[in-house]
Amino acid sequence: MGSSSFDNPTHFRSKITVYVLACWIFAAFGGLMFGYDIGISGGVTAMDDFLIKFFPAVHERKLHAKENNYCKYDDQTLQLFTSSLYLAALVASFGASKACSVLGRQPTILLASAFFLFGAAFSCAASQKWMLILGRILFGIGVGFGNESVPLFLTEIAPIEHRGAVNILFQLFITVGILIANLVNYATSSIHPSGWRISLGLAGIPALILFLGSLVITETPASLVERGNEAEGKAALLKIRGVDDVEAEFEQIKMACDQARQVKHPFKKLMKRSSMPPLIIGILMQVFQQFTGINAIMFYAPVLFQTVGFKNDASLLSAVITGTVNVLSTFVSIYAVDKAGRRKLLLQACIQMFICQAAIGGILAVHLKTTGTIDKGLAGVVVVLVCLFVMSFAWSWGPLGWLIPSETFPLETRTAGFAFAVSSNMLFTFIIAQVFLSMLCNMQAYIFFFFAAWIVAMGLFVVYLLPETKGVPIDAMVERVWKQHPVWKKFMDDVGPKSYEMA
């Protein structure tokens, strides 16, 4: 899988062993936990039994025959049920950053699964609204810890030539989680009165697999060496590479760690001018990931399909269709990301997503009034456009929103910088989850043009500000990426050439 040579340290030798495959897959279950949760909440909040028990006012409004197509789910408390998770995850990601640095990546993954298990138990057993919200908050802490530690873990244990593909396993498992959640909701929506309990309780299964898996996986070599365990770090590197000759790679990790140890306050270092390029890009990748409008479409796919005239079952079925498209398209990026590179995938998707959002907005603006439904044929066109939109997101901004921030920070600010990226994702997911239904109610179909405008901004960002990181060792980003970029090299004047030579 590459040849060992000291003069070209980007090509370290490695074999893909059964053990390293198991590490990748077990860790990626952190993505399945998150995906299951994204998918489950939209379906549960559309179930009548759930609404009657916790949100009777919303259920009343839903029953009125002449209901407003764009406003039937506009309820702040109901939106808070979905979005409280993201606020908890936002706060938790900073605690998770500290845990990743002090305890290591693997124990942080273990903690994530434990919080998630408690969250599933509380949600499933909820009899009062506060139990429901507490369950969501525990889920949120689990998501914060999982989304901080899993992408870092995958990026650090992946061989360089497969780093993109391995990291994207996290996003692949998110999409599988969303799909499983949609199938579960489809099955439980006909179980009365406690189908919603089954939906929420089953979140414990991926959490349990992650919990058991986190006892099997190794700590990452970089994390071990950074915390002073050099011998264990080398043993871990030998174990995950499956070859005897890991000297060149180990030397590079050691140099990165020596550099990292000189930084006592990573968050302070992150505010320095030279740390701005990966920080700005890490945060913007996550913000833009949300402003594609994907969560608006995924969270509320069932609601969206009801709005365009499909009935309850059909809407969950449509969500299953979009979920399947999401999973299959993520394989495209696993295949292409280390071949075509990051930028090409992002730019191609911007064009496809822009066309889809604008077309959905156009059709709904002309044909879907506040009451009544739209023509079945047109409703079918909307479903196809949603699928094309999800498809392009799934091979671009979805996976790369997690990959790029996890591979661009130098080791000394990696956990702190990635915590900013994760918390930005959670903050904007929270904002969109909290305001989307109200925006849909007020802006109606024009909300899709709002997202289309953001997609144009994202395309310009990629063209002018996003460097290509394909095939660059994570500990050589400063020299080979930031210092070469026409815009970002201006930020690098306080980094001496020697201090970062290999780190």
Coordinates of all heavy atoms in Angstrom, one line a residue, residues 261-305:
R261 N 3.3 19.9 22.5 CA 3.6 20.0 23.9 C 4.0 21.4 24.3 O 3.9 21.8 25.5 CB 4.6 19.0 24.4 CG 4.0 17.6 24.6 CD 5.0 16.7 25.4 NE 4.7 15.4 25.0 CZ 5.4 14.7 24.1 NH1 6.5 15.2 23.6 NH2 5.1 13.4 23.8
Q262 N 4.6 22.2 23.4 CA 5.1 23.5 23.7 C 3.9 24.5 23.9 O 4.0 25.6 24.4 CB 6.0 24.0 22.6 CG 7.3 23.3 22.6 CD 8.1 23.4 21.3 OE1 7.8 24.3 20.5 NE2 8.9 22.5 21.0
V263 N 2.7 24.0 23.4 CA 1.5 24.9 23.5 C 0.7 24.5 24.7 O 0.1 23.4 24.8 CB 0.6 24.7 22.2 CG1 -0.6 25.5 22.4 CG2 1.4 25.2 21.0
K264 N 0.7 25.3 25.7 CA 0.1 25.0 27.0 C -1.4 25.3 26.9 O -2.2 24.7 27.6 CB 0.7 25.8 28.2 CG 2.1 25.3 28.5 CD 2.1 23.9 29.2 CE 3.5 23.4 29.4 NZ 4.0 22.6 28.2
H265 N -1.8 26.3 26.1 CA -3.2 26.8 26.1 C -3.7 26.7 24.7 O -3.7 27.7 24.0 CB -3.3 28.2 26.7 CG -2.8 28.3 28.1 ND1 -3.5 27.7 29.1 CD2 -1.7 28.9 28.6 CE1 -2.8 28.0 30.3 NE2 -1.7 28.6 29.9
P266 N -4.2 25.5 24.2 CA -4.6 25.4 22.8 C -5.6 26.4 22.4 O -5.6 26.9 21.3 CB -5.1 24.0 22.7 CG -5.2 23.5 24.1 CD -4.3 24.3 24.9
F267 N -6.6 26.8 23.3 CA -7.6 27.7 22.9 C -7.1 29.1 22.6 O -7.5 29.8 21.7 CB -8.8 27.7 23.9 CG -9.7 26.6 23.8 CD1 -9.6 25.4 24.6 CD2 -10.7 26.5 22.8 CE1 -10.4 24.3 24.5 CE2 -11.5 25.4 22.7 CZ -11.4 24.3 23.5
K268 N -6.0 29.5 23.4 CA -5.4 30.8 23.3 C -4.6 30.7 21.9 O -4.6 31.7 21.1 CB -4.4 31.0 24.4 CG -4.1 32.5 24.6 CD -3.1 32.8 25.7 CE -3.7 32.7 27.1 NZ -2.7 32.9 28.1
K269 N -3.9 29.6 21.7 CA -3.1 29.5 20.5 C -4.0 29.6 19.2 O -3.6 30.1 18.2 CB -2.4 28.1 20.5 CG -1.8 27.6 19.2 CD -0.5 28.2 18.9 CE 0.0 27.6 17.5 NZ 1.1 28.3 17.0
L270 N -5.2 29.1 19.4 CA -6.2 29.0 18.3 C -6.6 30.5 17.9 O -7.1 30.7 16.8 CB -7.4 28.3 18.8 CG -8.3 27.6 17.8 CD1 -7.5 26.7 16.8 CD2 -9.3 26.7 18.5
M271 N -6.5 31.4 18.8 CA -6.8 32.8 18.5 C -5.7 33.6 17.8 O -5.8 34.7 17.4 CB -7.3 33.6 19.8 CG -8.5 33.0 20.4 SD -9.9 33.0 19.2 CE -10.5 31.3 19.3
K272 N -4.5 32.9 17.7 CA -3.4 33.6 17.0 C -3.7 33.7 15.5 O -4.3 32.8 14.9 CB -2.1 32.8 17.2 CG -1.6 32.8 18.7 CD -0.1 33.3 18.6 CE 0.4 33.7 20.0 NZ 0.7 32.5 20.8
R273 N -3.0 34.6 14.9 CA -3.2 34.9 13.4 C -3.0 33.6 12.6 O -3.7 33.3 11.7 CB -2.3 36.0 13.0 CG -2.6 36.6 11.7 CD -1.6 37.8 11.4 NE -1.4 38.0 10.0 CZ -2.3 38.6 9.2 NH1 -3.4 39.1 9.7 NH2 -2.1 38.8 7.9
S274 N -1.9 32.9 12.9 CA -1.5 31.8 12.1 C -2.5 30.6 12.3 O -2.5 29.7 11.4 CB -0.1 31.3 12.5 OG -0.1 30.9 13.8
S275 N -3.3 30.6 13.3 CA -4.3 29.5 13.5 C -5.6 29.9 12.8 O -6.5 29.0 12.7 CB -4.6 29.3 14.9 OG -3.5 28.9 15.6
M276 N -5.7 31.1 12.2 CA -7.0 31.5 11.6 C -7.4 30.7 10.4 O -8.6 30.3 10.3 CB -7.0 33.0 11.3 CG -7.1 33.9 12.5 SD -8.7 33.7 13.3 CE -8.2 33.3 15.0
P277 N -6.5 30.4 9.5 CA -7.0 29.7 8.3 C -7.8 28.4 8.6 O -8.9 28.3 8.1 CB -5.7 29.5 7.4 CG -4.8 30.6 7.9 CD -5.1 30.8 9.4
P278 N -7.2 27.4 9.3 CA -8.0 26.2 9.6 C -9.2 26.5 10.4 O -10.2 25.8 10.2 CB -7.0 25.3 10.3 CG -5.9 26.1 10.8 CD -5.8 27.3 9.9
L279 N -9.1 27.5 11.3 CA -10.3 27.8 12.2 C -11.4 28.3 11.4 O -12.6 27.9 11.5 CB -9.9 28.8 13.3 CG -11.0 29.1 14.3 CD1 -11.4 27.8 15.1 CD2 -10.5 30.2 15.3
I280 N -11.1 29.3 10.5 CA -12.2 29.9 9.7 C -12.8 28.9 8.8 O -14.0 28.8 8.6 CB -11.6 31.1 8.9 CG1 -11.2 32.3 9.8 CG2 -12.6 31.6 7.8 CD1 -10.4 33.4 9.2
I281 N -11.9 28.1 8.1 CA -12.4 27.0 7.2 C -13.2 26.0 8.0 O -14.3 25.6 7.5 CB -11.2 26.5 6.4 CG1 -10.9 27.5 5.3 CG2 -11.6 25.1 5.8 CD1 -10.0 27.1 4.3
G282 N -12.7 25.5 9.1 CA -13.4 24.5 9.9 C -14.8 25.0 10.3 O -15.8 24.3 10.1
I283 N -14.9 26.3 10.8 CA -16.2 26.8 11.2 C -17.1 27.0 9.9 O -18.3 26.6 9.9 CB -16.0 28.1 12.0 CG1 -15.4 27.8 13.4 CG2 -17.4 28.8 12.1 CD1 -15.1 29.0 14.2
L284 N -16.6 27.6 8.9 CA -17.4 27.8 7.7 C -17.9 26.6 7.0 O -19.0 26.5 6.6 CB -16.7 28.7 6.7 CG -16.6 30.2 7.1 CD1 -15.8 31.0 6.0 CD2 -18.0 30.8 7.2
M285 N -17.0 25.5 7.0 CA -17.5 24.2 6.4 C -18.7 23.7 7.1 O -19.7 23.2 6.5 CB -16.4 23.2 6.5 CG -15.3 23.3 5.5 SD -15.7 23.3 3.8 CE -16.4 21.6 3.6
Q286 N -18.7 23.9 8.5 CA -19.9 23.4 9.3 C -21.1 24.3 9.1 O -22.2 23.8 9.0 CB -19.5 23.3 10.8 CG -18.4 22.3 11.0 CD -18.9 20.9 11.1 OE1 -20.0 20.6 10.7 NE2 -18.1 20.0 11.6
V287 N -20.9 25.6 9.1 CA -22.0 26.5 9.0 C -22.6 26.3 7.6 O -23.9 26.2 7.5 CB -21.5 28.0 9.1 CG1 -22.6 29.0 8.8 CG2 -21.0 28.2 10.6
F288 N -21.8 26.3 6.6 CA -22.3 26.1 5.2 C -23.0 24.7 5.1 O -24.0 24.6 4.4 CB -21.2 26.2 4.2 CG -20.8 27.6 3.9 CD1 -19.5 27.9 3.5 CD2 -21.6 28.7 4.1 CE1 -19.0 29.2 3.3 CE2 -21.2 30.0 3.9 CZ -19.9 30.3 3.5
Q289 N -22.5 23.7 5.8 CA -23.2 22.4 5.7 C -24.6 22.5 6.1 O -25.5 22.0 5.5 CB -22.4 21.4 6.6 CG -23.0 20.0 6.5 CD -22.5 19.1 7.6 OE1 -22.8 19.3 8.7 NE2 -21.7 18.1 7.2
Q290 N -24.9 23.4 7.2 CA -26.3 23.6 7.6 C -27.1 24.5 6.7 O -28.2 24.3 6.5 CB -26.3 24.2 9.0 CG -25.7 23.2 10.1 CD -26.4 21.8 10.0 OE1 -27.6 21.7 9.9 NE2 -25.6 20.8 9.9
F291 N -26.4 25.5 6.1 CA -27.1 26.4 5.2 C -27.3 25.9 3.8 O -27.8 26.7 3.0 CB -26.4 27.8 5.3 CG -26.9 28.6 6.5 CD1 -26.1 28.7 7.6 CD2 -28.1 29.2 6.5 CE1 -26.5 29.4 8.7 CE2 -28.6 29.9 7.6 CZ -27.8 30.0 8.7
T292 N -26.9 24.6 3.5 CA -27.4 24.1 2.3 C -28.9 23.9 2.3 O -29.5 23.7 1.3 CB -26.8 22.7 2.0 OG1 -27.0 21.9 3.2 CG2 -25.3 22.7 1.8
G293 N -29.4 23.8 3.6 CA -30.8 23.5 3.7 C -31.1 22.0 3.9 O -32.2 21.5 4.0
I294 N -30.0 21.2 4.1 CA -30.2 19.8 4.2 C -31.0 19.4 5.4 O -31.9 18.5 5.3 CB -28.8 19.0 4.2 CG1 -29.0 17.5 4.2 CG2 -27.9 19.4 5.4 CD1 -29.6 17.0 2.9
N295 N -30.7 19.9 6.6 CA -31.4 19.5 7.8 C -32.9 19.9 7.7 O -33.8 19.2 8.1 CB -30.8 20.0 9.1 CG -29.7 19.1 9.6 OD1 -29.4 18.1 8.9 ND2 -29.2 19.4 10.7
A296 N -33.1 21.1 7.1 CA -34.5 21.5 6.8 C -35.2 20.4 6.0 O -36.3 20.0 6.3 CB -34.5 22.8 6.1
I297 N -34.5 19.9 5.0 CA -35.2 18.8 4.2 C -35.2 17.5 4.9 O -36.3 16.8 4.9 CB -34.4 18.8 2.8 CG1 -34.9 19.9 2.0 CG2 -34.7 17.4 2.1 CD1 -34.4 19.9 0.5
M298 N -34.2 17.1 5.6 CA -34.2 15.8 6.3 C -35.0 15.7 7.5 O -35.8 14.8 7.7 CB -32.7 15.4 6.6 CG -31.9 15.0 5.5 SD -32.7 13.9 4.3 CE -31.8 12.4 4.6
F299 N -34.9 16.8 8.4 CA -35.7 16.8 9.6 C -37.2 16.6 9.3 O -37.9 16.0 10.0 CB -35.7 18.2 10.3 CG -34.6 18.4 11.3 CD1 -34.0 19.6 11.4 CD2 -34.2 17.4 12.1 CE1 -33.0 19.9 12.3 CE2 -33.2 17.6 13.0 CZ -32.6 18.8 13.1
Y300 N -37.5 17.4 8.3 CA -39.0 17.6 8.1 C -39.4 17.0 6.8 O -40.4 17.3 6.3 CB -39.3 19.1 8.2 CG -38.9 19.7 9.6 CD1 -37.9 20.6 9.7 CD2 -39.6 19.2 10.7 CE1 -37.5 21.0 11.0 CE2 -39.2 19.6 12.0 CZ -38.2 20.6 12.1 OH -37.8 21.0 13.4
A301 N -38.6 16.0 6.3 CA -39.0 15.3 5.1 C -40.5 14.8 5.2 O -41.3 15.0 4.3 CB -38.1 14.2 4.7
P302 N -40.8 14.2 6.4 CA -42.2 13.7 6.5 C -43.2 14.8 6.4 O -44.2 14.7 5.7 CB -42.2 13.0 7.9 CG -40.8 12.7 8.2 CD -40.0 13.7 7.5
V303 N -42.9 15.9 7.1 CA -43.8 17.1 7.1 C -43.8 17.7 5.7 O -44.9 18.0 5.2 CB -43.3 18.2 8.1 CG1 -44.2 19.3 8.1 CG2 -43.1 17.5 9.4
L304 N -42.7 17.8 5.0 CA -42.6 18.4 3.7 C -43.5 17.6 2.7 O -44.2 18.1 1.9 CB -41.1 18.4 3.2 CG -40.7 19.3 2.1 CD1 -40.8 20.7 2.6 CD2 -39.3 19.0 1.7
F305 N -43.4 16.3 2.8 CA -44.1 15.4 1.9 C -45.6 15.5 2.2 O -46.4 15.4 1.3 CB -43.6 14.0 1.9 CG -42.3 13.9 1.2 CD1 -41.1 13.4 1.8 CD2 -42.2 14.2 -0.2 CE1 -39.9 13.3 1.2 CE2 -40.9 14.1 -0.8 CZ -39.8 13.7 -0.2

